[in-house]
Amino acid sequence: AQSVTQLGSHVSVSEGALVLLRCNYSSSVPPYLFWYVQYPNQGLQLLLKYTTGATLVKGINGFEAEFKKSETSFHLTKPSAHMSDAAEYFCAVSDPPPGNTPLVFGKGTRLSVIA
Amino acid sequence: EPEVTQTPSHQVTQMGQEVILRCVPISNHLYFYWYRQILGQKVEFLVSFYNNEISEKSEIFDDQFSVERPDGSNFTLKIRSTKLEDSAMYFCASSEWGLADYTDTQYFGPGTRLTVL
C-alpha cells in the first residue's frame, strides 16, 4: 500500500528565506507524485507534479520539487519565501496509469512566513 | 479558468439525518472523486466515478454513502444517516480522461465542511 510522510506539521520561515518542505513516500511501483497547496477557505490547488522524465519539476509560484528515487523523496523548495506563500501544503502519490487512480495524501505542512 | 464548485460551503446536521453534498465538476472532465479530511487528519479518498458508475471506493465508503450524477453537470455525495464521526471537510475533484494526450491531474473544489451534532 502506498503512503506519504510529510516531516513537520508546521514550518516557519522568514520572508526571503529558502522554503523546504519534506515529503517521503512508499510505493511498490514508480509512482506519480504531486504537491497541492490550500489557501484559507479555498480548495486544493495543484502546484506541480512528477509523472515521468526529468526528475526536477517546476511548478507555479516559483516552487520546484525533485524526485529522488533512491531516497523515495519528493521535497518541495522555493528559493525565496513570500508572504503570500503562507498556506497548507500537501504531498500526494498515486499509481501510474492506466486509470485515474486515487490520490494518497500526506498529513500536510502548514507554512508560515514571517516578515 | 474553469473550476470545481461545491455547495454548501458549510452544512450542520443532526446525527441520523441524511445530507447531500453537491459538486459541479469541470465541464469536459469525465472522472469524479470525493475525498474527505477529518480535522487534523489526512485527506482520504472515498470514491471515484466514471461513466455513470463507481470506479473505485475505499473502505470508508460503506452502505451509508452513495454517489450520483443526476444530470449533466452535478455530482452528489449522499450520507444516509449521519454519524458524529462523519464530521469532516468533504472535497470533490474531477479529472480529464484523454487518450492520446492523457492527463490525470485532479482539480479540487473548495470543500464542504460538514458538522454532525
Side-chain angles (χ1 to χ4, degrees):
Chain A
Q2 295 168 322
S3 67
V4 176
T5 302
Q6 291 184 242
L7 273 179
S9 59
H10 187 199
V11 170
S12 187
V13 300
S14 298
E15 192 174 19
L18 171 72
V19 175
L20 171 60
L21 304 182
R22 298 178 187 273
C23 173
N24 289 87
Y25 68 90
S26 70
S27 177
S28 56
V29 297
Y32 280 13
L33 295 156
F34 306 81
W35 276 99
Y36 282 85
V37 61
Q38 185 181 29
Y39 299 103
N41 301 316
Q42 295 187 29
L44 299 167
Q45 180 183 2
L46 181 70
L47 267 181
L48 48 79
K49 68 176 182 181
Y50 170 80
T51 55
T52 58
T55 56
L56 182 62
V57 180
K58 295 187 185 301
I60 61 171
N61 301 336
F63 283 94
E64 62 183 37
E66 187 171 11
F67 169 56
K68 291 187 177 180
K69 186 179 177 182
S70 60
E71 298 177 9
T72 61
S73 69
F74 191 56
H75 302 329
L76 181 71
T77 60
K78 182 174 180 178
S80 175
H82 192 272
M83 298 296 288
S84 60
D85 295 326
E88 186 96 19
Y89 291 80
F90 295 92
C91 182
V93 63
S94 75
D95 283 337
N100 277 284
T101 56
L103 293 169
V104 175
F105 284 88
K107 275 192 141 181
T109 298
R110 181 166 298 279
L111 175 67
S112 297
V113 182
I114 305 165
Chain B
E1 185 177 327
E3 58 182 18
V4 177
T5 59
Q6 291 185 243
T7 54
S9 57
H10 191 188
Q11 172 113 30
V12 181
T13 190
Q14 296 290 325
M15 190 169 57
Q17 294 296 303
E18 173 183 289
V19 295
I20 297 176
L21 310 182
R22 290 182 168 79
C23 168
V24 179
I26 294 173
S27 63
N28 65 333
H29 285 187
L30 300 178
Y31 257 94
F32 314 118
Y33 313 77
W34 284 101
Y35 291 81
R36 78 173 185 190
Q37 184 182 28
I38 295 171
L39 191 63
Q41 298 187 25
K42 297 183 180 187
V43 177
E44 303 171 290
F45 167 75
L46 293 178
V47 65
S48 60
F49 191 85
Y50 173 72
N51 200 26
N52 284 319
E53 61 183 28
I54 290 174
S55 177
E56 193 168 345
K57 62 182 181 179
S58 72
E59 58 191 25
I60 302 169
F61 193 87
D62 60 23
D63 292 343
Q64 292 298 312
F65 292 90
S66 62
V67 289
E68 192 179 26
R69 187 149 165 85
D71 52 43
S73 59
N74 290 283
F75 179 53
T76 62
L77 174 70
K78 181 192 290 186
I79 310 174
R80 288 190 181 83
S81 178
T82 50
K83 304 188 266 276
L84 294 176
E85 54 265 37
D86 293 328
S87 294
M89 180 73 89
Y90 288 80
F91 293 105
C92 174
S94 70
S95 66
E96 287 184 289
W97 173 246
L99 293 175
D101 185 20
Y102 176 75
T103 176
D104 62 358
T105 299
Q106 295 180 27
Y107 295 87
F108 285 76
T112 292
R113 180 164 297 284
L114 176 65
T115 302
V116 182
L117 302 176

